[in-house]
Amino acid sequence: MAEWGAGLAVVAFAIPIALFPFAPQLHRGEFEVSVLDVGQGDSIFLVSPGGKTMLIDGGGQAGAEAISGARSGPDTGEDIVSPYLWSRGIKKIEIVALTHAHHDHLDGLHAVLTNFRVGELWIGRDEETPAFLALLGEARARGTKIVQQVRGRDFGWDGVETHVLWPADISEVTKPSNDNSLVMAMDDGVVNFLLPGDIEKKVENELVAEGAPLKADFLKVPHHGSKTSSTDAFVAAVAPRFAVVSVGDGNQFGHPVDSVVERYASAGVRFLRTDRDGEVTALTDGKTLTVQTFAERHPQ
């Protein structure tokens, strides 16, 4: 439910934090990956051991897009993601990454660009849709550098090794697709994270077949636990200790589907879901991995 996790950072509390210079609440010396509770969508907040920040996707709700400056429904970026970041004392985000141009990943980023100083906007496949182009236009207008990522790029990010595994092709397409998702593997030298956006079976199978470095201690479950993803071969190749699925409470798609939940359970994976557990935070100090949920931190 939205009241779990990020949803508890209400606007009334967040506004003072946004206006006054409180020090950011970060776990210095640790790498943090927090899967936020944004309902049926994705938004992941990352902090490097040195305190640099990254946001992957901003959530959003289909049918709640902005039309002529007005919204037809809730604004996940304004109502959930921004208050969460303000509650952490965040005013600047070094990197915002959009995995792909579907509304449940993209729409909330408009508010993020408005409310925070964003250094770079990372994109993968060039998905030439009105929503995608509008986001890029807004980023350019605000002086945010646009960086296109493609398979094969490996680089350090303030103590975290980052490997771009997908997309293989960044040429222009006219329709957004789950299989265009930006896929990143990240590690601090000991603990590995796999953040695969919404890739489906076709890309999962290709990554497995080519021997991509998929093995990870912590996995953000692809495509919200849909039957289109999390094949047996993919789950076996990743072999995660923890898998987190970002889903909305009682969503119309039935995500995560029972067969996917059972697949992870059969593999001995601790399976967490934002609709029941709220925000899920993973922390590693380069030696151990600790994973805790909002529900565990705030038992009822």
Side-chain angles (χ1 to χ4, degrees):
M1 294 183 293
E3 60 266 23
W4 284 112
L8 278 190
V10 294
V11 174
F13 173 70
I15 288 176
I17 293 178
L19 296 178
F20 295 100
F22 299 113
Q25 299 177 33
L26 307 177
H27 303 275
R28 295 286 181 175
E30 296 181 294
F31 178 35
E32 172 188 346
V33 177
S34 289
V35 180
L36 306 188
D37 178 16
V38 293
Q40 188 66 18
D42 267 16
S43 189
I44 307 172
F45 180 58
L46 301 87
V47 185
S48 73
K52 293 189 180 299
T53 55
M54 180 187 300
L55 183 73
I56 302 177
D57 293 328
Q61 296 187 29
E65 298 84 25
I67 302 173
S68 300
R71 300 198 66 85
S72 55
D75 184 339
T76 303
E78 191 69 48
D79 300 337
I80 298 177
V81 179
S82 291
Y84 171 83
L85 295 172
W86 286 327
S87 77
R88 298 284 302 270
I90 303 299
K91 291 188 175 182
K92 176 182 178 182
I93 305 173
E94 278 78 14
I95 298 167
V96 166
L98 171 66
T99 57
H100 62 299
H102 281 153
H103 290 290
D104 58 336
H105 295 249
L106 180 151
D107 283 1
L109 294 182
H110 290 286
V112 171
L113 287 172
T114 298
N115 294 331
F116 301 89
R117 299 192 307 273
V118 176
E120 297 181 355
L121 174 62
W122 288 5
I123 59 173
R125 194 77 183 265
D126 192 2
E127 299 180 304
E128 294 279 318
T129 64
F132 180 75
L133 294 174
L135 185 72
L136 266 57
E138 187 170 350
R140 292 190 184 101
R142 296 183 179 279
T144 299
K145 181 180 179 181
I146 297 173
V147 179
Q148 198 163 21
Q149 300 290 3
V150 66
R151 179 171 63 180
R153 290 190 178 164
D154 301 326
F155 47 88
W157 178 60
D158 197 33
V160 177
E161 292 301 312
T162 303
H163 312 277
V164 180
L165 307 184
W166 200 261
D169 180 4
I170 55 175
S171 61
E172 179 181 312
V173 292
T174 58
K175 184 178 181 180
S177 167
N178 290 327
D179 277 341
N180 291 338
S181 289
L182 177 64
V183 178
M184 293 190 290
M186 307 179 79
D187 70 85
D188 65 353
V190 175
V191 178
N192 298 276
F193 297 79
L194 184 63
L195 309 173
D198 276 0
I199 58 170
E200 300 186 0
K201 295 176 182 178
K202 179 181 177 181
V203 173
E204 288 183 354
N205 290 339
E206 184 166 338
L207 291 173
V208 171
E210 70 184 22
L214 299 175
K215 186 169 175 53
D217 300 283
F218 185 98
L219 168 70
K220 198 289 296 184
V221 174
H223 198 199
H224 316 288
S226 166
K227 65 181 180 181
T228 66
S229 309
S230 295
T231 64
D232 288 319
F234 179 79
V235 173
V238 180
R241 295 160 53 194
F242 300 89
V244 181
V245 62
S246 184
V247 288
D249 185 35
N251 66 85
Q252 61 180 317
F253 309 104
H255 294 163
V257 300
D258 291 343
S259 60
V260 167
V261 176
E262 292 166 3
R263 190 169 300 140
Y264 284 101
S266 297
V269 181
R270 184 182 177 195
F271 191 84
L272 300 168
R273 43 193 294 176
T274 59
D275 60 337
R276 296 179 182 176
D277 300 301
E279 169 204 350
V280 179
T281 296
L283 288 170
T284 170
D285 58 3
K287 298 177 182 178
T288 59
L289 172 65
T290 301
V291 176
Q292 193 173 40
T293 70
F294 179 89
E296 290 170 333
R297 294 194 301 270
H298 302 84
Q300 293 184 331

